[in-house]
């Protein structure tokens, strides 16, 4: 409720980021999707892709994978599960 009431404030952004990190650590993917907002943070972006895959929306995740993969620099380990699923599906 706090996030909904204060969505446009810096405090809500910090709380959302911490909450998303906690949800990802607990692999609570459905809840992750419910709270996720587009984010420049690569860890949260990759967790979002993994959440899509884990909740049966793999093709939606795979359609968003190319910019993550074609970055030119190594990606954090949080991206590995999504990249591995994308590669295993023959998209690389």
């Amino acid at each position: 409720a706090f996030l909904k009431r204060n969505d446009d404030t810096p405090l809500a952004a910090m709380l959302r980021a911490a909450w998303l990190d906690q949800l990802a650590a607990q692999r609570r993917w459905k809840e992750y999707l419910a709270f996720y907002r587009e984010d420049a943070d690569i860890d949260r972006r990759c967790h979002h892709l993994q959440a899509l895959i884990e909740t049966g929306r793999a093709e939606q995740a795979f359609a968003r994978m190319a910019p993550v993969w074609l970055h030119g620099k190594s990606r954090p380990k949080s991206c590995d599960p999504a990249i591995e699923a994308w590669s295993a599906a023959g998209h690389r």
Side-chain angles (χ1 to χ4, degrees):
F2 175 85
L3 290 174
K4 286 182 181 180
R5 284 193 313 270
N6 300 285
D7 197 35
D8 59 344
T9 67
L11 182 57
M14 291 187 312
L15 179 61
R16 182 182 307 280
W19 179 236
L20 288 170
D21 293 345
Q22 182 67 28
L23 291 173
Q26 295 174 352
R27 302 179 52 84
R28 293 167 55 186
W29 300 123
K30 287 181 183 179
E31 289 170 280
Y32 192 96
L33 292 175
F35 285 95
Y36 181 77
R37 302 289 181 271
E38 284 296 319
D39 194 325
D41 182 86
I42 189 61
D43 287 306
R44 282 189 285 282
R45 284 178 54 206
C46 286
H47 285 139
H48 176 245
L49 295 171
Q50 185 178 359
L52 290 170
I53 293 165
E54 296 290 337
T55 58
R57 297 163 55 187
E59 290 306 317
Q60 189 177 0
F62 297 159
R64 298 176 183 193
M65 188 64 69
V68 173
W69 174 252
L70 298 172
H71 184 264
K73 291 185 179 180
S74 182
R75 293 315 216 169
K77 292 199 180 297
S78 61
C79 294
D80 290 351
I83 290 172
E84 288 170 8
W86 179 68
S87 294
H91 293 282
R92 186 163 73 169

